[in-house]
Every structure is written in structure tokens, then in C-alpha cells.
Amino acid sequence: MKKVAICISLATILFAGYTLIGVAAPATKPAIHGLLNRNGASIPAGYRAALAGYVISGDTSGSVGWSQLQSAPNGPITSNNPIDAAIADVDAWNAANPSAHEALKLRVTAGAQTPSWALNLGGPCVELINPQTPSQEACLPRFWTAAFQVAWYSFVAELAAKYDPAPEIAEVTMTPNMTFSAEPMIRD
């Protein structure tokens, strides 16, 4: 009983300490309910009102590459990127359609979408050919190294600082350990 009381007292002190220094737990955003278009905002006419939103896409992959978001080491998030465009699009849609609000899912990928400045962190990049699409070649970063991970998590912190307050973004998936698709393995 004494151990339980001590643990509860410590938890109370820690919670009170965070509250006193102004660090509060962030509110959880509501989950997306319904269908999402995986191909970004390119939604056929007449279907958009039936969707709950879409996946932000910087190209045809249904994701936004790290290279589209941070052009320099430890640099700021690039302005006017695919995320900014999607937020503006959803804001306009929601203003015009108050009974059919949309939300966004953000998928950020590294692998073949890693910025050139991060490709050789932790050692030279690894040249690969995608066996599913032989015309697709890339020099992939060593995502398992500490140097790469430091750069990735610095980028994640920048991204979170800029977009976590955005109510339009309801879900985020981050995939640093990948090759051509959001998995580290290559199928042959």
C-alpha cells in the first residue's frame, strides 16, 4: 500500500510540475471517419461530397516526399509545398460545404524521396533498381544509421511544429525506413 501511495504522489507531483511550467498534453485530434481519396485532390466531379477527405499527395504516389519539404540540412519546412496546397484546398472546400467537411491524411516518405543533402548521411547511398518497375532507379540513404536518424527526427520536429496545430490534418504516417515504397523490403 505504501508503494502505491508513493507512486501516486510522484505522479501527482510530475503532473502538477508539467502544468505549472505550462506544458500540457496536446489534445488528440478527432479520427477520420469515412472514405479517403488516395490520389490527393484529383477527385472526379460529383464524388467529393461523399468523401471524408483525401491523402495529401506530392506526386502520384499518394504521399509527400521528404525532398519536397526540406531543401537544406536543419532547414525550415519549404513554403508552398503540397501540404500547404492541400490545407488551402480543404479550407476552401469546408467553407463552401459546411455540411460536408473534409480532413487530410499526411503520408511523409523518405527512401527514394530523400533530399539529396541527406542521401550520404552515415555512409554512401545504396544504388538500387526497383524490380517491380525496372526503369525506376534510386540511390537510397542508409536509414538505419544514427546520422540519418538524427537528420530525420530533426525534420520531424520541424514538420510537427508547423503542422500539428493545423486542424485540417487529422492523421499522419511517417516512413523513414523504406526503399521505393513504404516498406524496407524489395519484392522480386
Side-chain angles (χ1 to χ4, degrees), residues 23-31 163-167 169-170:
V23 177
T28 303
K29 293 182 180 183
Y163 294 111
D164 192 43
I169 299 175

Side-chain angles (χ1 to χ4, degrees), residues 14-24:
L14 288 173
F15 180 73
Y18 283 120
T19 305
L20 291 175
I21 61 171
V23 177

Side-chain angles (χ1 to χ4, degrees), residues 35 43-53 93 97 99-102:
L35 299 174
I43 302 167
Y47 290 97
R48 189 159 182 177
L51 298 173
W93 171 265
N97 300 278
S99 62
H101 271 229
E102 289 184 341

Side-chain angles (χ1 to χ4, degrees), residues 32-173:
I32 299 175
H33 295 282
L35 299 174
L36 298 175
N37 183 26
R38 189 166 180 245
N39 294 321
S42 58
I43 302 167
Y47 290 97
R48 189 159 182 177
L51 298 173
Y54 59 87
V55 178
I56 302 171
S57 187
D59 51 28
T60 58
S61 68
S63 64
V64 180
W66 181 10
S67 60
Q68 296 174 288
L69 299 172
Q70 190 178 45
S71 59
N74 298 313
I77 300 302
T78 306
S79 299
N80 301 316
N81 62 55
I83 302 170
D84 293 337
I87 289 172
D89 177 62
V90 164
D91 283 346
W93 171 265
N94 289 346
N97 300 278
S99 62
H101 271 229
E102 289 184 341
L104 296 166
K105 177 178 180 176
L106 173 60
R107 295 178 67 218
V108 179
T109 54
Q113 294 83 39
T114 297
S116 59
W117 62 265
L119 286 175
N120 295 306
L121 295 174
C125 59
V126 179
E127 292 281 345
L128 285 179
I129 297 172
N130 186 348
Q132 301 296 314
T133 311
S135 63
Q136 188 179 22
E137 296 181 37
C139 198
L140 303 169
R142 295 173 182 261
F143 54 78
W144 57 90
T145 66
F148 178 87
Q149 292 171 11
V150 165
W152 172 261
Y153 288 111
S154 173
F155 160 68
V156 169
E158 287 288 325
L159 197 67
K162 182 169 182 176
Y163 294 111
D164 192 43
E168 301 86 353
I169 299 175
E171 184 176 331
V172 178
T173 304

